[in-house]
């Protein structure tokens, strides 16, 4: 594993969306999914900078006060507005402007996985529930959606809960890291 650097805090200068776009463009990928698209910064960057990419974006877009993970997605939490309706409406508008390249699904990530064929995606980017159970559920639900040779990516490997889920599913020392706390496993 390489050293994980946080952009802006300890010398890292690469944002996750730049890393993902590089993977997409250098591999000629055309189909991906992002779980936990929030305000869409990462998602939109990929669509705007990867001309042949079709993306599925999944987010519940609701506060989850009973969530077992470190986030509840309630307004004001960790200094975030968590304006779910605004984020969702903005992404729906983005979908309308990119009708053949964007599919926004407002649902639980594990439910949305049931609508995607196995081995149909080049990659999945997991950045939704950062709790151990939630992250592990997402990995289990979406791992089969990635084709052989594709990559499962995720964000925030510095969270002990995320690291535990990734390690439990894929095994110790089975994953790689990139700046901005990205983890990845090639299938």
């Amino acid at each position: 594993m390489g050293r994980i650097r946080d952009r802006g805090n300890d010398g890292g200068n690469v944002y996750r969306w730049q890393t993902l776009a590089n993977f997409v463009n250098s591999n000629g990928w055309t189909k991906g999914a992002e779980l936990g698209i929030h305000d869409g910064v990462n998602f939109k960057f990929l669509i705007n900078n990867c001309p042949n990419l079709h993306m599925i974006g999944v987010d519940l877009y609701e506060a989850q006060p009973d969530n077992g993970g470190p986030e509840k997605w309630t307004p004001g939490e960790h200094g975030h507005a968590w304006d779910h309706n605004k984020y969702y409406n903005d992404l729906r508008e983005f979908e309308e402007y990119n009708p053949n390249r964007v599919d926004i699904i407002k649902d639980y990530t594990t439910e949305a996985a049931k609508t995607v064929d196995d081995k149909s995606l080049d990659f999945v980017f997991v950045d939704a529930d950062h709790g151990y159970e939630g992250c592990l559920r997402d990995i289990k639900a979406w791992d089969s959606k990635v084709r052989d040779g594709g990559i499962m990516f995720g964000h925030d490997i510095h969270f002990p809960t995320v690291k535990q889920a990734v390690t439990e599913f894929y095994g110790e020392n089975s994953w790689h890291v990139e700046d901005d706390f990205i983890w990845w496993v090639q299938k």
Side-chain angles (χ1 to χ4, degrees), residues 8-9 39 58 62 92 94 112 119 126 128 137 166 177:
N9 290 325
D39 61 4
V58 184
E62 291 182 20
R92 288 296 310 226
F94 186 73
K119 299 187 183 281
V126 179
R137 274 193 306 268
V166 173
V177 297

Coordinates of all heavy atoms in Angstrom, one line a residue, residues 8-9 39 58 62 92 94 112 119 126 128 137 166 177:
G8 N -4.5 19.0 0.4 CA -4.5 20.2 1.1 C -4.0 20.2 2.5 O -3.7 21.2 3.1
N9 N -3.9 19.0 3.2 CA -3.6 18.9 4.6 C -2.1 18.4 4.8 O -1.5 18.9 5.7 CB -4.5 18.1 5.4 CG -5.9 18.7 5.5 OD1 -6.0 19.9 5.6 ND2 -6.9 17.9 5.5
D39 N -23.7 16.2 -3.2 CA -24.0 17.3 -4.0 C -23.5 17.2 -5.5 O -23.7 18.1 -6.3 CB -23.4 18.6 -3.4 CG -21.9 18.6 -3.3 OD1 -21.2 17.6 -3.7 OD2 -21.3 19.6 -2.7
V58 N -26.3 7.0 -7.1 CA -27.3 6.6 -6.1 C -27.1 7.3 -4.8 O -26.0 7.5 -4.3 CB -27.1 5.1 -5.8 CG1 -28.2 4.6 -4.8 CG2 -27.1 4.2 -7.1
E62 N -31.9 11.8 2.1 CA -32.7 12.0 3.3 C -31.8 11.9 4.5 O -30.8 11.2 4.5 CB -33.8 10.9 3.4 CG -34.9 10.9 2.4 CD -35.9 9.9 2.6 OE1 -36.0 9.3 3.7 OE2 -36.6 9.6 1.6
R92 N -31.0 15.9 -10.7 CA -32.0 15.5 -11.6 C -32.0 16.4 -12.8 O -32.1 16.0 -14.0 CB -33.4 15.6 -11.0 CG -33.7 14.5 -10.0 CD -33.7 13.2 -10.6 NE -34.6 13.2 -11.8 CZ -35.5 12.3 -12.1 NH1 -35.7 11.3 -11.4 NH2 -36.2 12.5 -13.2
F94 N -29.2 17.9 -13.9 CA -28.0 17.5 -14.6 C -28.3 16.2 -15.4 O -27.9 16.1 -16.5 CB -26.9 17.2 -13.5 CG -25.6 16.8 -14.1 CD1 -24.8 17.8 -14.7 CD2 -25.1 15.5 -14.1 CE1 -23.6 17.5 -15.3 CE2 -23.9 15.2 -14.6 CZ -23.1 16.2 -15.2
A112 N -30.9 -0.2 -4.8 CA -30.6 0.2 -6.1 C -29.7 -0.9 -6.8 O -29.8 -1.1 -8.0 CB -29.8 1.6 -6.1
K119 N -21.8 -7.9 -13.4 CA -20.7 -7.7 -14.4 C -21.0 -6.7 -15.5 O -20.5 -6.8 -16.6 CB -20.3 -9.1 -14.9 CG -19.8 -10.0 -13.9 CD -19.3 -11.3 -14.5 CE -18.9 -12.3 -13.4 NZ -17.6 -12.0 -12.8
V126 N -17.7 3.6 -4.0 CA -18.4 3.5 -2.8 C -18.1 4.7 -1.9 O -16.9 4.8 -1.4 CB -18.1 2.2 -2.1 CG1 -18.9 2.1 -0.8 CG2 -18.4 1.0 -3.0
A128 N -20.9 6.2 0.3 CA -22.2 6.4 1.0 C -22.1 6.3 2.5 O -21.5 7.1 3.1 CB -23.2 5.5 0.4
R137 N -22.2 -3.6 3.6 CA -23.4 -3.9 2.9 C -23.3 -3.4 1.4 O -23.6 -4.1 0.5 CB -24.6 -3.3 3.5 CG -25.3 -4.1 4.6 CD -26.7 -3.5 4.9 NE -26.7 -2.1 5.3 CZ -26.5 -1.6 6.5 NH1 -26.4 -2.5 7.5 NH2 -26.5 -0.3 6.7
V166 N -13.6 -3.0 4.2 CA -12.9 -3.3 3.0 C -12.0 -4.5 3.2 O -11.9 -5.5 2.4 CB -12.0 -2.1 2.5 CG1 -11.1 -2.5 1.3 CG2 -13.0 -1.0 2.1
V177 N -4.2 2.1 -2.5 CA -4.7 3.4 -2.1 C -4.2 4.5 -3.1 O -3.2 4.3 -3.7 CB -4.2 3.8 -0.7 CG1 -4.9 2.8 0.4 CG2 -2.7 3.8 -0.5

